[in-house]
Amino acid sequence: MRQFTHIKIMYIACFFIFALSIEVTTKDFQPIGTVNPSKYIPAQKKISESKNGMVTTQHFIATRVGEKILNQGGNAYDAAIAVGFTLAVVLPRAGNIGGGGFMVMHDSATNKNYSIDYREMAPAKSFTDMYLNEDGSFNTRKLSTFGYLASGVPGTVAGLWEVHQKFGSLDWELLLEDAIHYAENGFEITPYMGDMLTKYKEKLSYFESTKKIFMKNNPDFTGSTLIQKDLANTLKIIAKKGKDGFYKGEVAQKISVQMQKNGGFITEDDLIAYRPQWRKPLISNYRNNKIITMGPPSSGGIHVIQMLNILENHDLKEIGHNTPAYINLLTEVMKYAYADRSKHLGDPDFFNVPVSEIIDKQYAATINSKIKLGESNPSSNILPGSFNDNESIETTHFSVADKNGNVVSSTYTLNSTFGSGVTIEGTGILMNNEMDDFSAAPGIPNQFGLLGAKANEIQPKKRPLSSMTPTIVMKNEELFFTTGSPGGSRIISAVLQSIINIIDFDMNLEEANEAKRIHHQWQPDILQIELSLNDEIKNELQKLNYDVQVINPATCLQLIMKKNNTFYGYGDFRRPDAFASGDIYD
Ligand code: DON
């Protein structure tokens, strides 16, 4: 019953889509206006359209802020930075300054593609066996997901700062104004956010510093105002001092002091030493479209390209979307990719990741020759992983395209919903639990059921392996579409399917988003299908010996497309409050 209600809410609250009108406004700060969440539910079901640019995020306030920055003459980078800070306020379960992520960019002035890794780093004091008992067994006290030992050194502020240094056109301070405004004056809690606060009551009540912010309106969350004064103050310091406002001085000291007091590892030295990394984006070709995506320490891009390379050997349209034969093919392809992930992927600064080998078209052809359609190869060899659906997951993706041809696609996260549950006293900073993305030990699955090996073992200053897959697809040297999603291990399969839906099946954004997604990650050997499955297809798949599991949606694509000089945007119904930019006011 609960599950049914949940699904129903998601459907009712779908699609907040409106046309975008971009005008030039003054530079004086004007908040975007009062936002009444009830206006979004039920929402319009329409693809957003604009000639002047597009913003898609998982919260309508953040979308509106990005749009305002474009209106003020800012470029896509400026808007993305403002969105990143605003999401830290209005989407605290995933938006963050206490976490990290990746951003892929196409820059029109240089006609070049860039990617930046602002992923968290393991603190210097961390060590390979830190989540194991003395006898080598796994410590089941959830130390990697909850509390002080779960956090890596945050990268978001440094990442956004670095992007601003290279590409920003408006003042840094101006880009934080809206985030500060919503932290200081509050914003109305939507029914979806109210549900999340209720669901996570226990986690958000454990640490006093977190409880006093997020449980203040308990139990009547929906419709009340969430005010985050300490976070506003931290954002003001960052606005004034740039990244040093976070990594040095009073904020850094507060993080370090609270960590040391409570057995955490992050020190002021770790914060000062944190550096985001510009990395070469991975670029490949799929049926004459250019795929520009994130390389290691994300596994997302490499495996999306690997799977596209295998699928290129098939006529998917001929096979038919989401038919048993199609699901059979995709599932077998996914098994090979996720199997490689578990062994070969990790932080390239620490481990030699065989990127060119994995994305080699010949390697794809070899895998393709092993796949026997009409059969399923059982996943085997290592300890079975396990999914823990109770520990919900939350990341968020945002994309911005401006009228000058700049495109930004970024996914960032605290990892689990509300991260480690720890807020640093006096700062409002909710900390990530990204250390769980390392492999605690061979054969020990992380919260997404993912297995890892030496490539992804914990080492000081190393970045945990990620599945986040911010991606830009170009055609004839112009933007075709952007894609990206939250969903842990399922991000990779969701992004893959968004690409095939648009390229192979000519779907528009609504269709590409709405289509049911499947997921298989090799271990555990389970084929997941969203929401429901018609009996006939289920029978066919079971005949092939698939262990089929119907799951609630776990991903949320934010898509922008450009066609005939018009931008289109679409917010995924799977997480209410998400939407593409447009006129959300009366
Ligand atoms: O980097 C990763 O792969 C994970 N930390 C992402 C977590 C995530 O997507 C949770 N969201 N739904």
Side-chain angles (χ1 to χ4, degrees):
M1 179 61 197
R2 210 183 130 75
Q3 180 174 334
F4 176 70
T5 313
H6 186 61
I7 293 167
K8 208 166 76 180
I9 290 171
M10 284 200 274
Y11 270 117
I12 292 171
C14 61
F15 311 116
F16 306 97
I17 306 301
F18 308 83
L20 166 71
S21 65
I22 292 183
E23 306 138 14
V24 178
T25 54
T26 75
K27 269 192 156 192
D28 296 334
F29 177 68
Q30 293 285 337
I32 58 171
T34 309
V35 181
N36 177 359
S38 63
K39 290 213 178 100
Y40 309 95
I41 302 168
Q44 277 179 269
K45 187 178 171 182
K46 201 172 136 232
I47 296 172
S48 176
E49 201 177 313
S50 158
K51 291 277 181 205
N52 296 314
M54 186 59 67
V55 183
T56 58
T57 84
Q58 221 179 293
H59 197 287
F60 44 83
I61 291 179
T63 298
R64 190 70 178 175
V65 167
E67 184 183 322
K68 179 183 131 180
I69 296 296
L70 292 180
N71 279 334
Q72 288 180 330
N75 59 22
Y77 310 103
D78 295 321
I81 292 163
V83 162
F85 281 114
T86 306
L87 285 171
V89 176
V90 300
L91 191 78
R93 63 184 188 267
N96 67 81
I97 56 173
F102 301 100
M103 188 179 280
V104 174
M105 291 147 275
H106 175 78
D107 184 58
S108 68
T110 53
N111 195 27
K112 283 195 178 145
N113 305 302
Y114 297 86
S115 68
I116 189 164
D117 158 5
Y118 59 98
R119 180 77 161 160
E120 299 88 334
M121 291 170 81
K125 280 190 198 156
S126 55
F127 55 97
T128 305
D129 296 343
M130 62 188 273
Y131 301 119
L132 303 187
N133 295 314
E134 275 184 13
D135 64 2
S137 59
F138 183 60
N139 185 321
T140 52
R141 284 175 49 221
K142 298 200 167 183
L143 298 175
S144 67
T145 52
F146 187 64
Y148 290 90
L149 275 179
S151 299
V153 183
T156 297
V157 176
L160 298 181
W161 172 256
E162 194 70 30
V163 171
H164 186 258
Q165 293 291 296
K166 197 171 175 75
F167 294 120
S169 72
L170 297 182
D171 287 348
W172 170 257
E173 274 181 277
L174 187 138
L175 302 181
L176 279 99
E177 280 178 343
D178 289 280
I180 293 168
H181 173 81
Y182 284 103
E184 190 150 54
N185 301 298
F187 62 95
E188 191 176 324
I189 295 175
T190 61
Y192 181 57
M193 184 172 181
D195 283 354
M196 295 297 281
L197 291 168
T198 305
K199 187 169 167 197
Y200 286 91
K201 252 184 201 175
E202 203 184 329
K203 180 172 187 174
L204 294 170
S205 301
Y206 192 86
F207 298 104
E208 194 50 43
S209 52
T210 305
K211 185 178 174 187
K212 68 182 179 199
I213 299 169
F214 295 104
M215 287 297 116
K216 211 164 54 202
N217 303 314
N218 183 25
D220 301 314
F221 297 113
T222 301
S224 63
T225 303
L226 180 64
I227 294 174
Q228 301 169 84
K229 292 268 186 218
D230 287 342
L231 182 58
N233 194 39
T234 300
L235 290 168
K236 282 181 194 170
I237 297 171
I238 295 168
K240 208 159 146 209
K241 300 192 171 162
K243 77 165 178 152
D244 286 353
F246 186 93
Y247 295 93
K248 289 180 183 168
E250 65 175 292
V251 173
Q253 269 159 21
K254 281 181 181 154
I255 296 174
S256 162
V257 165
Q258 193 168 327
M259 282 282 161
Q260 313 320 308
K261 244 197 227 160
N262 295 284
F265 284 173
I266 298 177
T267 63
E268 275 183 78
D269 284 348
D270 284 321
L271 290 158
I272 288 172
Y274 181 85
R275 296 280 177 280
Q277 298 278 3
W278 290 97
R279 302 203 187 261
K280 249 171 99 174
L282 291 186
I283 300 191
S284 178
N285 196 286
Y286 178 64
R287 304 198 204 276
N288 292 324
N289 297 276
K290 194 192 243 185
I291 312 290
I292 305 157
T293 186
M294 194 68 218
S298 177
S299 62
I302 192 168
H303 293 306
V304 162
I305 291 176
Q306 178 188 19
M307 291 190 282
L308 289 172
N309 287 346
I310 305 170
L311 292 170
E312 212 169 23
N313 295 290
H314 299 264
D315 183 342
L316 300 181
K317 212 162 184 173
E318 179 74 27
I319 297 173
H321 191 259
N322 278 357
T323 57
Y326 177 86
I327 295 173
N328 176 207
L329 172 62
L330 254 63
T331 305
E332 296 306 306
V333 169
M334 286 176 193
K335 284 183 194 172
Y336 279 96
Y338 280 91
D340 278 349
R341 184 191 192 282
S342 74
K343 180 156 181 211
H344 299 297
L345 267 286
D347 182 346
D349 295 343
F350 285 74
F351 186 86
N352 194 6
V353 181
V355 178
S356 54
E357 286 87 342
I358 294 177
I359 64 173
D360 181 57
K361 299 243 181 197
Q362 191 49 47
Y363 178 53
T366 310
I367 294 176
N368 189 51
S369 67
K370 291 186 198 159
I371 294 175
K372 304 265 173 294
L373 290 180
E375 287 179 21
S376 73
N377 280 337
S379 310
S380 50
N381 284 341
I382 50 174
L383 288 174
S386 69
F387 287 107
N388 183 351
D389 275 343
N390 294 328
E391 179 55 62
S392 173
I393 44 180
E394 195 63 57
T395 292
T396 193
H397 183 82
F398 53 94
S399 295
V400 184
D402 69 26
K403 62 181 176 198
N404 295 320
N406 300 305
V407 189
V408 174
S409 178
S410 186
T411 315
Y412 78 154
T413 188
L414 290 169
N415 198 14
S416 299
T417 306
F418 299 109
S420 65
V422 171
T423 301
I424 302 298
E425 185 63 49
T427 70
I429 301 169
L430 197 47
M431 295 296 287
N432 68 82
N433 62 349
E434 218 69 67
M435 291 295 285
D436 188 61
D437 274 351
F438 279 116
S439 169
I444 301 296
N446 74 359
Q447 65 170 319
F448 304 110
L450 288 167
L451 295 166
K454 191 148 185 67
N456 192 31
E457 70 183 9
I458 304 170
Q459 283 176 260
K461 300 188 183 235
K462 189 175 177 183
R463 288 166 153 96
L465 181 60
S466 173
S467 299
M468 293 188 279
T469 317
T471 298
I472 297 171
V473 179
M474 298 189 62
K475 196 173 189 162
N476 303 327
E477 295 304 308
E478 262 209 76
L479 171 66
F480 183 8
F481 61 96
T482 67
T483 177
S485 174
S489 54
R490 300 169 185 103
I491 295 172
I492 307 173
S493 54
V495 168
L496 173 79
Q497 287 165 88
S498 68
I499 295 174
I500 323 173
N501 288 350
I502 293 172
I503 294 180
D504 289 81
F505 294 96
D506 302 318
M507 289 186 190
N508 67 24
L509 293 188
E510 182 184 341
E511 296 160 341
N513 222 333
E514 214 174 339
K516 261 183 217 165
R517 295 170 199 151
I518 69 150
H519 175 75
H520 197 299
Q521 60 182 49
W522 181 51
Q523 292 285 10
D525 194 352
I526 293 170
L527 167 57
Q528 297 188 328
I529 311 236
E530 277 184 335
L531 290 174
S532 65
L533 187 60
N534 100 20
D535 281 347
E536 212 177 302
I537 297 182
K538 191 168 183 173
N539 290 342
E540 289 293 319
L541 292 170
Q542 281 172 340
K543 270 193 226 154
L544 299 179
N545 288 326
Y546 284 119
D547 183 354
V548 181
Q549 190 183 69
V550 172
I551 59 158
N552 279 335
T555 50
C556 180
L557 292 164
Q558 301 298 325
L559 303 172
I560 292 177
M561 186 186 275
K562 193 174 179 205
K563 242 182 177 174
N564 303 328
N565 291 321
T566 303
F567 295 93
Y568 298 92
Y570 206 79
D572 196 330
F573 72 94
R574 290 165 178 82
R575 308 260 167 112
D577 303 346
F579 89 107
S581 59
D583 182 9
I584 54 175
Y585 304 97
D586 285 331

